[in-house]
Amino acid sequence: MNPYRDLQDYRFWRRAVSNVETHLFDPVVKPRFTIKPGDKVATAGSCFAQHISRKLKQINFNYFVTEDGSGLSKEDRITRNYGTFSARYGNIYTTTQLFQLFEEAYGRRQPIDAAWQRPDGRFIDPFRQQVEPEGFKNAAAVVADRKVHLAKVRELFEQSDVFVFTLGLTEAWRSKQDGSVFPLAPGVNGGAFDHQKHEFVNLSISDVEQPLFAFLDGLKAVNPKVKVLLTVSPVPLMATFEDRNVLVSTTYSKSVLRVAAEDAIRAYDWVDYFPSYEIITGSFSGGLYYEDDYREVNSLGVAHVMRCFLGNYAEGRKTENLIRQRTVASGATTTYNVVCDEEALGR
């Protein structure tokens, strides 16, 4: 007799990983909830979150977008990042960004930085620096657009049935004046870096968990029916400000984010974790799911992630089979251009 004798196959490496064909591997066990056909599913987070949103739209799932650029041409909506996420917030890389957005949307914080000027004279929103590629004509236009944006963010938080958030980074740049965290450092896309006003931070587990838990509490207060699905981005850091190899910094960041997600699902029974990170980075795939740069996730990897996501979370067997077929058919041949603020560091 021993405590491992009668455990399920998914608890053993050989039975659950080694002896399973790569494309059939599915690490999801006992999802806490399912997504009904009519549920409003919203997404936010790092670059990888866009793969989930685009697949949901592609298969005519009820992907919830509150800021869709209605009235603009299709080309303008794409160029100006309407529909890239459920609202036009750009990449939200850290849990601090997410919580600060929530607080600002409900009038509980007002950041000092309202607009940054670019070298070409145009202006950007410091907290969503690349949503308007042509920039805004003046600071007042930034403020006016952000007011509209925040109203749509409130609508999203209050009406979503499922909110999917992809945790992306622990490294960030922060205002010393009011603690605001930016998606990119001042001076990269606009504004100017000032040692007296700005600082680099690499968040610890407690730094990640405190705003994450505060956001979850706040979200549930304004939307009692909501469920949250957390993921961790499998995309390595584009660059690190730490004085060490970027791969070492990547390992630290992803480890912290993974632990924070684990602690969240232990604290909240209406929050679940979807292992897209493990599907893409797991040794079982032998690097099959990355492009030649070893960083960007390719279409095969996206298709595998979405098969597992929809196969486990989409309610209804008939719907599940249809989704699986359409995901497989489209995933192996489609290449996506992902909007990623972090790419600016590579340039």
Side-chain angles (χ1 to χ4, degrees):
M1 295 296 294
N2 72 76
Y4 290 87
R5 179 170 179 170
D6 298 319
L7 295 183
Q8 301 93 329
D9 286 347
Y10 60 77
R11 300 192 186 195
F12 294 89
W13 186 268
R14 288 183 179 176
R15 301 178 202 170
V17 183
S18 301
N19 294 334
V20 177
E21 292 184 58
T22 298
H23 69 285
L24 296 177
F25 175 72
D26 185 350
V28 179
V29 176
K30 298 179 180 178
R32 289 185 170 181
F33 54 82
T34 56
I35 302 171
K36 299 178 179 64
D39 284 349
K40 296 177 180 177
V41 183
T43 63
S46 72
C47 312
F48 189 76
Q50 293 171 55
H51 291 299
I52 295 176
S53 63
R54 290 182 180 185
K55 279 295 182 181
L56 291 175
K57 287 188 288 187
Q58 188 180 69
I59 61 175
N60 296 320
F61 213 76
N62 194 10
Y63 179 55
F64 186 40
V65 177
T66 58
E67 203 167 3
D68 60 2
S70 56
L72 299 174
S73 68
K74 181 179 180 181
E75 287 186 359
D76 281 345
R77 289 198 302 270
I78 294 173
T79 301
R80 298 173 64 187
N81 294 284
Y82 286 97
T84 301
F85 292 104
S86 291
R88 197 168 170 241
Y89 28 57
N91 296 127
I92 301 177
Y93 288 116
T94 65
T95 58
T96 305
Q97 280 180 264
L98 178 64
F99 180 56
Q100 289 181 347
L101 175 64
F102 182 86
E103 291 285 273
E104 186 182 356
Y106 285 94
R108 292 193 280 265
R109 81 181 307 269
Q110 182 65 48
I112 292 174
D113 292 81
W116 289 347
Q117 191 168 21
R118 299 193 315 199
D120 65 358
R122 304 285 287 182
F123 287 79
I124 64 170
D125 185 332
F127 303 99
R128 45 186 193 135
Q129 298 178 18
Q130 299 191 107
V131 297
E132 192 72 35
E134 297 298 321
F136 295 90
K137 62 180 180 180
N138 52 43
V142 177
V143 173
D145 191 77
R146 187 160 188 82
K147 183 177 181 180
V148 173
H149 168 64
L150 292 174
K152 294 298 184 181
V153 168
R154 289 195 300 273
E155 183 181 339
L156 181 148
F157 286 148
E158 293 169 9
Q159 296 185 22
S160 297
D161 295 301
V162 179
F163 182 71
V164 183
F165 181 66
T166 301
L167 296 91
L169 297 173
T170 57
E171 293 193 14
W173 291 89
R174 182 169 62 192
S175 167
K176 291 182 178 180
Q177 297 175 292
D178 66 357
S180 294
V181 169
F182 310 111
L184 285 172
V188 176
N189 285 314
F193 180 75
D194 184 340
H195 284 286
Q196 300 300 315
K197 296 180 179 180
H198 309 119
E199 63 182 347
F200 169 77
V201 291
N202 200 355
L203 306 173
S204 66
I205 290 177
S206 61
D207 292 332
V208 173
E209 288 187 354
Q210 190 278 327
L212 175 60
F213 286 22
F215 167 76
L216 293 172
D217 291 336
L219 180 64
K220 198 66 171 179
V222 300
N223 185 355
K225 72 177 186 300
V226 74
K227 296 179 176 62
V228 172
L229 193 60
L230 297 175
T231 68
V232 172
S233 169
V235 180
L237 275 65
M238 173 60 76
T240 179
F241 197 73
E242 297 281 10
D243 187 18
R244 61 188 179 197
N245 188 277
V246 66
L247 178 58
V248 177
S249 285
T250 294
T251 301
Y252 169 79
S253 285
K254 304 304 180 180
S255 299
V256 167
L257 298 176
R258 181 63 187 87
V259 171
E262 188 71 18
D263 287 345
I265 65 173
R266 294 183 182 188
Y268 301 90
D269 61 7
W270 48 276
V271 177
D272 205 0
Y273 172 74
F274 173 66
S276 58
Y277 177 79
E278 288 81 351
I279 294 170
I280 299 300
T281 66
S283 59
F284 76 95
S285 68
L288 177 66
Y289 294 148
Y290 283 103
E291 299 285 5
D292 292 340
D293 63 359
Y294 308 121
R295 182 176 182 273
E296 295 297 331
V297 177
N298 62 29
S299 57
L300 287 174
V302 174
H304 193 154
V305 166
M306 294 309 297
R307 283 199 303 274
C308 294
F309 176 78
L310 296 165
N312 287 284
Y313 286 93
E315 185 172 295
R317 192 71 187 174
K318 184 177 180 181
T319 302
E320 173 187 321
N321 290 337
L322 175 62
I323 289 172
R324 282 176 180 269
Q325 293 168 10
R326 296 176 69 171
T327 302
V328 171
S330 61
T333 58
T334 303
T335 301
Y336 293 118
N337 292 319
V338 176
V339 179
C340 188
D341 289 342
E342 201 184 3
E343 293 288 342
L345 299 178
R347 297 193 292 271

